[in-house]
Amino acid sequence: MAKTVYLTTSTDTIHGGHINIIKKAAELGELTVGVLADEAVAGYKRYPLLCYEERAALFAGLKGVARVVRQESHGYRDCLLKYRPDILVHGDDWLEGNLKPLRDEAIFVLDSYGGKLVEFPYTRKEQYDLIENIRESQASIPDVRRGRLKKLLELKPLVTAMEAHNGLTGLIVEKAKHFEAGGTRQFDAMWVSSLCDSTAKGKPDIELVDLSSRVRTIDEIMEVTTKPIIVDGDTGGLLEHFSYTVRTLERMGVSAVIIEDKTGLKRNSLLGDEVLQTQCDIPSFCDKISAGKASLKTKDFMVIARIESFILGKGQEDALARAAAFVEAGADGIMIHSRQKTPGEVFGFAEKFRENNKITPLVIVPSSFSTVSEPDCLGKGINIVIYANQLIRSAFPAMMGTAQSILKHQRAFEAEGDLMSINEIITLIPER
Ligand code: SPV
Ligand code: MG
């Protein structure tokens, strides 16, 4: 009886390298191609330009492919146990490095039932890199990038966003990955925080950094990244101005703006009621949301309303009344903020909110309740988790420590141990 062979793919463009490995795999037996689900591709590589069905169709028609199946996660465990192929075929690009945990797990599972791993040399050609580069640059085109957040919300139970405040932090959010046997994790989106954008410019977070400056930051990030961007729009400013802001951000390819229901001099929410902060009345804020929505040119862009009732000690009932009114006014999402040390307040709100509204995405920012994990949020009605300020908070003490060490020792040597090597920094960003 012919041996059964299994091979996984995530690609949305077939080139000679793929044809080659399929040919070799098919020579070993009856070939099943596991096509990675969209969510798994987005987790490990980038958001696929073609959806699962399209990518599956590419392979279903290929000579040597007996059948195509859906592979839910980048880890091989589940599909190996389900299909129990005699042979798993893979390129030899996972012997070392980030993908090694996946390989180790695959071997462990294959051993458990007597399966075998066959590795072929991974084909690396300049043209293939070029194709990937073109795919990547397509993802950064405003019309492609803008709609990506909505697509991710359809695809994933929980979307994560990490703050970026310049090109370098944008690159970190774009590229940082965690590899483990079960699969790979990366951030889905970027948050351009008013706090971090202001702090990076040495300014307080009081809506002092104006829109032109914020737009320059966003543009700097956009130039080197492809992931969807959520912009912290502070209070949105005057209603008349907010319409223009929305239009500008939408045109740039931003996916969402979040505006908070405060009025007057805006202070950072994490200061709570220790400083004077005034919540906007419901009708005025609804008008602002509606004005923003009315100025949109696409269906992709989201205007998300942020509720500050917990921050200002107004309680759950006020927050829920506001949420209902803001959704009614057209808000595409609700962000519920809290400065408590535990997520009780936001989880309590989410539970009540979901009694009447199953669809509007809910956003949380676990800065003060940072013990809460993403798995804790699953099943709680939360859709987006924003890590709002952690990159700048980690950079600041590191830079201050270096400055102090050099002052103390009157030379840089003692600080070297904490620094990236000169070679690493000059090659960190490849020239293309
Ligand atoms: C920001 O990141 O600027 C925010 C979130 O608005 S918070 O700092 O918690 O108010
Ligand atoms: Mg802010």
Side-chain angles (χ1 to χ4, degrees):
M1 207 171 81
K3 292 217 184 281
T4 53
V5 184
Y6 190 89
L7 169 76
T8 296
T9 177
S10 63
T11 190
D12 38 28
T13 330
I14 294 185
H15 55 56
H18 302 117
I19 301 287
N20 200 20
I21 198 163
I22 281 179
K23 188 162 167 272
K24 286 183 180 164
E27 281 165 8
L28 299 174
E30 189 190 82
L31 176 62
T32 297
V33 173
V35 173
L36 273 191
D38 292 342
E39 187 185 340
V41 185
Y44 124 86
K45 205 155 81 175
R46 56 167 166 73
Y47 191 92
L49 289 175
L50 295 182
C51 67
Y52 166 79
E53 287 74 16
E54 292 289 329
R55 289 182 292 110
L58 287 180
F59 283 87
L62 283 188
K63 190 167 163 221
V65 177
R67 63 172 173 163
V68 166
V69 296
R70 182 181 169 98
Q71 184 174 323
E72 293 298 339
S73 85
H74 193 201
Y76 286 75
R77 188 173 203 287
D78 293 349
C79 52
L80 289 178
L81 289 176
K82 185 166 176 188
Y83 302 111
R84 298 174 76 85
D86 298 314
I87 300 168
L88 172 69
V89 166
H90 201 284
D92 62 359
D93 54 326
W94 68 344
L95 296 173
E96 287 305 326
N98 293 330
L99 296 178
K100 194 169 176 301
L102 289 179
R103 180 179 188 265
D104 293 344
E105 186 191 53
I107 292 172
F108 182 78
V109 179
L110 285 164
D111 281 350
S112 74
Y113 69 87
K116 215 174 101 192
L117 174 65
V118 173
E119 290 162 323
F120 293 121
Y122 185 77
T123 340
R124 168 127 265 143
K125 275 198 184 155
E126 234 174 70
Q127 296 121 288
Y128 302 164
D129 288 344
L130 193 67
I131 294 173
E132 185 49 31
N133 290 347
I134 293 169
R135 299 309 242 181
E136 214 176 284
S137 57
Q138 272 172 336
S140 69
I141 291 169
D143 281 342
V144 178
R145 188 196 300 241
R146 190 191 303 112
R148 191 114 313 155
L149 183 64
K150 276 197 172 170
K151 290 204 177 116
L152 280 164
L153 283 165
E154 281 166 20
L155 208 64
K156 299 191 74 185
L158 194 68
V159 169
T160 59
M162 166 56 93
E163 73 99 346
H165 53 270
N166 56 19
L168 182 61
T169 45
L171 275 179
I172 290 173
V173 184
E174 178 84 11
K175 305 257 186 241
K177 285 185 184 163
H178 171 74
F179 296 88
E180 60 182 28
T184 309
R185 277 197 294 280
Q186 59 177 308
F187 296 110
D188 298 306
M190 306 185 200
W191 164 246
V192 184
S193 145
S194 69
L195 171 65
C196 302
D197 200 358
S198 307
T199 305
K201 291 174 171 58
K203 298 267 172 64
D205 182 20
I206 53 171
E207 284 189 284
L208 177 64
V209 178
D210 68 8
L211 181 67
S212 308
S213 175
R214 302 289 311 277
V215 161
R216 273 204 301 280
T217 303
I218 297 163
D219 192 44
E220 192 180 311
I221 294 167
M222 283 185 151
E223 216 171 317
V224 294
T225 63
T226 65
K227 290 186 175 175
I229 294 179
I230 307 170
V231 168
D232 176 359
D234 283 321
T235 65
L238 294 175
L239 178 147
E240 293 81 356
H241 294 178
F242 184 54
S243 305
Y244 281 91
T245 304
V246 163
R247 223 173 276 172
T248 303
L249 297 177
E250 183 189 36
R251 192 175 54 240
M252 291 177 80
V254 167
S255 302
V257 65
I258 302 188
I259 51 167
E260 57 195 277
D261 60 351
K262 291 212 289 253
T263 188
L265 178 66
K266 192 221 75 156
R267 311 295 301 278
N268 185 276
S269 301
L270 300 176
L271 296 167
D273 51 12
E274 288 151 29
V275 294
L276 183 66
Q277 309 209 49
T278 317
Q279 206 167 12
C280 185
D281 66 83
I282 295 179
S284 307
F285 201 68
C286 285
D287 286 347
K288 203 184 281 188
I289 294 165
S290 306
K293 288 285 292 177
S295 67
L296 288 176
K297 300 269 186 256
T298 71
K299 288 194 168 50
D300 296 337
F301 190 89
M302 300 171 75
V303 175
I304 299 176
R306 161 172 167 179
I307 295 171
E308 295 282 290
S309 304
F310 290 134
I311 297 292
L312 301 171
K314 302 277 177 58
Q316 192 188 74
E317 233 168 84
D318 183 72
L320 287 166
R322 284 172 176 269
F326 299 162
V327 170
E328 185 68 28
D332 301 293
I334 294 291
M335 171 180 152
I336 183 71
H337 207 13
S338 165
R339 62 194 282 258
Q340 282 193 348
K341 290 261 173 281
T342 63
E345 235 171 27
V346 295
F347 282 174
F349 170 90
E351 194 182 338
K352 285 275 174 208
F353 178 75
R354 288 284 175 237
E355 282 176 9
N356 299 314
N357 184 326
K358 302 271 184 267
I359 52 169
T360 304
L362 268 188
V363 185
I364 62 165
V365 177
S367 296
S368 57
F369 48 101
S370 59
T371 49
V372 80
S373 69
E374 291 160 26
D376 292 340
C377 296
L378 291 173
K380 299 279 196 314
I382 312 285
N383 307 90
I384 303 182
V385 169
I386 296 179
Y387 298 100
N389 47 44
Q390 286 76 10
L391 292 188
I392 205 157
R393 283 170 59 208
S394 58
F396 187 89
M399 292 192 286
M400 187 59 106
T402 301
Q404 276 172 343
S405 167
I406 293 173
L407 280 174
K408 180 174 170 190
H409 300 286
Q410 297 182 282
R411 62 179 192 177
F413 177 75
E414 283 71 15
E416 287 289 350
D418 296 326
L419 307 184
M420 186 178 241
S421 76
I422 290 174
N423 195 33
E424 269 176 294
I425 192 81
I426 56 181
T427 54
L428 179 67
I429 297 161
E431 292 176 30
R432 277 219 231 126

Coordinates of all heavy atoms in Angstrom, one line a residue, residues 5 22 39 90 103 111 151 202 226 266 278 329 375 398 416:
V5 N 1.7 10.8 2.9 CA 2.7 11.8 3.1 C 1.9 13.1 3.4 O 0.9 13.4 2.9 CB 3.5 12.0 1.8 CG1 4.6 13.1 2.0 CG2 4.1 10.7 1.3
I22 N 6.7 19.7 -3.7 CA 5.5 18.9 -3.9 C 5.8 17.7 -4.7 O 5.4 16.6 -4.4 CB 4.3 19.8 -4.5 CG1 3.7 20.6 -3.3 CG2 3.2 18.9 -5.2 CD1 2.6 21.5 -3.7
E39 N -5.9 32.5 10.5 CA -5.4 32.9 11.8 C -4.0 32.4 12.1 O -3.2 33.2 12.6 CB -6.4 32.5 12.9 CG -6.1 33.0 14.2 CD -6.9 32.5 15.3 OE1 -8.0 32.0 15.1 OE2 -6.5 32.7 16.5
H90 N 9.2 18.3 5.1 CA 9.4 19.7 5.5 C 10.7 20.2 4.9 O 11.6 19.4 4.6 CB 9.5 19.9 7.0 CG 9.2 21.3 7.5 ND1 10.1 22.3 7.4 CD2 8.1 21.9 8.0 CE1 9.6 23.5 7.8 NE2 8.3 23.2 8.2
R103 N 9.7 21.7 15.1 CA 10.3 20.5 14.6 C 10.4 19.4 15.7 O 10.1 18.3 15.5 CB 11.7 20.8 14.0 CG 12.4 19.6 13.5 CD 13.8 20.0 12.9 NE 14.5 18.9 12.2 CZ 15.3 18.1 12.8 NH1 15.7 18.2 14.0 NH2 15.9 17.2 12.0
D111 N 7.3 10.0 16.3 CA 7.9 8.9 17.0 C 6.8 8.1 17.8 O 6.9 6.9 17.9 CB 8.9 9.3 18.1 CG 10.2 9.6 17.4 OD1 10.4 9.3 16.2 OD2 11.1 10.2 18.1
K151 N -10.9 42.7 9.4 CA -10.7 41.3 9.0 C -10.2 40.5 10.2 O -10.6 39.4 10.4 CB -9.8 41.2 7.8 CG -10.4 41.8 6.6 CD -9.7 41.2 5.3 CE -10.4 41.7 4.1 NZ -9.5 42.5 3.2
G202 N 9.0 64.5 24.5 CA 9.3 65.3 25.7 C 8.2 66.2 26.1 O 8.4 67.2 26.8
T226 N 3.6 47.0 8.1 CA 2.4 46.7 7.4 C 1.1 46.4 8.2 O 0.1 46.3 7.7 CB 2.6 45.4 6.5 OG1 2.8 44.3 7.5 CG2 3.8 45.5 5.6
K266 N -7.5 67.8 28.5 CA -7.4 66.4 28.7 C -6.2 66.0 29.5 O -5.1 66.5 29.3 CB -7.4 65.7 27.4 CG -7.6 64.2 27.5 CD -6.6 63.4 26.6 CE -5.2 63.3 27.1 NZ -4.4 62.2 26.7
T278 N -12.8 66.3 33.2 CA -14.3 66.4 33.0 C -14.8 65.5 31.9 O -14.2 65.5 30.8 CB -14.7 67.9 32.6 OG1 -13.9 68.8 33.4 CG2 -16.2 68.1 32.8
A329 N -25.2 56.0 18.4 CA -24.7 57.2 17.6 C -23.8 56.7 16.4 O -23.4 57.5 15.6 CB -24.0 58.1 18.5
P375 N -5.4 34.9 27.6 CA -6.3 33.7 27.8 C -7.4 34.1 28.8 O -8.6 33.7 28.7 CB -5.4 32.6 28.3 CG -4.1 32.9 27.8 CD -4.0 34.4 27.7
A398 N 16.1 52.1 30.7 CA 17.3 51.6 30.1 C 18.2 52.7 29.7 O 19.4 52.7 30.0 CB 17.0 50.6 29.0
E416 N 28.6 48.9 28.7 CA 28.6 48.0 27.5 C 27.8 46.7 27.6 O 27.1 46.3 26.7 CB 30.0 47.6 27.1 CG 30.8 48.7 26.4 CD 30.4 49.1 25.0 OE1 29.6 48.4 24.4 OE2 30.9 50.2 24.6

